[in-house]
Amino acid sequence: IAPDKTELWTVDFGFGIPGSPAIAEDRTVDFGDDDGFVIAVTPGVENPKWTFNTGVTGIESSPIIGPDGTVYIGTSDARVFAFQFNEQSGQVEVKPGWPFTEPTDVVYSTPAIAENGTVYVGSGDKKLYAISSAGAKLWSFQTGGFVDSSPAIGADGTVYVGSTDGKMYAIYGDSPLGFSRWPKFRGSLAAHGKVDPYREWVEVNNLSEPNPFSDPDLDGMENVLEWAFCTDPQIVELNG
């Protein structure tokens, strides 16, 4: 939608799209639909760049895109897929060892990827799962309710996730959020759907050290994350 509220484009696939989209490095918009397909659309182009049929209707999970372009998404038949589009063959290829089939109930949760490649995702079987990049179960954590929420990964590797038992859990993890433009649900630790400008700056310049100017007020938090939770940050002048 343009600033004047006019429609830029739409593509009608005839099925509901309950989840949130992810935007790939090639700027395609990836999403799942109620017919069980994951679809990649190039803005303004009617025909999809690619589609992937999960074989089951109803995808409530949202896709996430790993640093290498792998798409991860959960399904209503208790699986988690990991696949890539092969530009040379024009085919979508499921990664070896996937899908992950350990859950015994629906996977409505959207996965999160840690820097070491570990994938965290919740399930309707009341568990949070940690999955290796090869699709193997590392461990699971039992809660008292459905884990349909999407995990968030703290800077120290702690995994945070909510459950329908009314509790917010903080679970030990040994790796921080994946260092990529689209490491988790809606794009960054703040889940705001935008490329984090600080992380992009570090990536582009191939830096190993943090930006010394990212925390000018010396409160221990990168300033870009302090306002990233706001959808339209504004500077407010305080009187008095």
Side-chain angles (χ1 to χ4, degrees), residues 74-131:
T75 64
S76 59
D77 65 346
R79 292 182 292 173
V80 181
F81 280 92
F83 56 85
Q84 284 182 303
F85 177 71
N86 187 318
E87 294 281 356
Q88 292 183 336
S89 68
Q91 301 295 317
V92 175
E93 301 172 352
V94 178
K95 293 186 67 176
W98 297 80
F100 179 69
T101 59
E102 184 76 19
T104 58
D105 206 337
V106 297
V107 180
Y108 291 158
S109 172
T110 294
I113 308 174
E115 194 172 60
N116 65 0
T118 300
V119 178
Y120 298 100
V121 69
S123 171
D125 64 8
K126 304 181 181 181
K127 294 179 181 179
L128 173 74
Y129 290 91
I131 313 167

Side-chain angles (χ1 to χ4, degrees), residues 22-27 64-69 113 177-206:
I23 304 175
E25 190 171 353
D26 64 1
R27 302 305 178 188
I64 56 168
I65 303 172
D68 63 351
I113 308 174
L177 186 66
F179 196 68
S180 81
R181 294 185 179 187
W182 296 105
K184 67 173 292 287
F185 181 50
R186 297 185 66 194
S188 75
L189 186 61
H192 52 37
K194 299 178 182 178
V195 175
D196 183 322
Y198 168 58
R199 286 191 176 274
E200 183 179 16
W201 178 82
V202 174
E203 285 185 277
V204 169
N205 291 278
N206 194 28

Side-chain angles (χ1 to χ4, degrees), residues 5 8 23 41 74 93 119 129 147 150 159 165 183 185 188-189 195 210 214 239:
K5 301 181 181 179
L8 294 178
I23 304 175
V41 174
E93 301 172 352
V119 178
Y129 290 91
V147 185
S150 302
V159 182
D165 63 4
F185 181 50
S188 75
L189 186 61
V195 175
S214 65
N239 296 322

Side-chain angles (χ1 to χ4, degrees), residues 198 201 207 209-216 218:
Y198 168 58
W201 178 82
L207 301 179
E209 296 294 329
N211 179 3
F213 303 107
S214 65
D215 185 22
L218 301 179

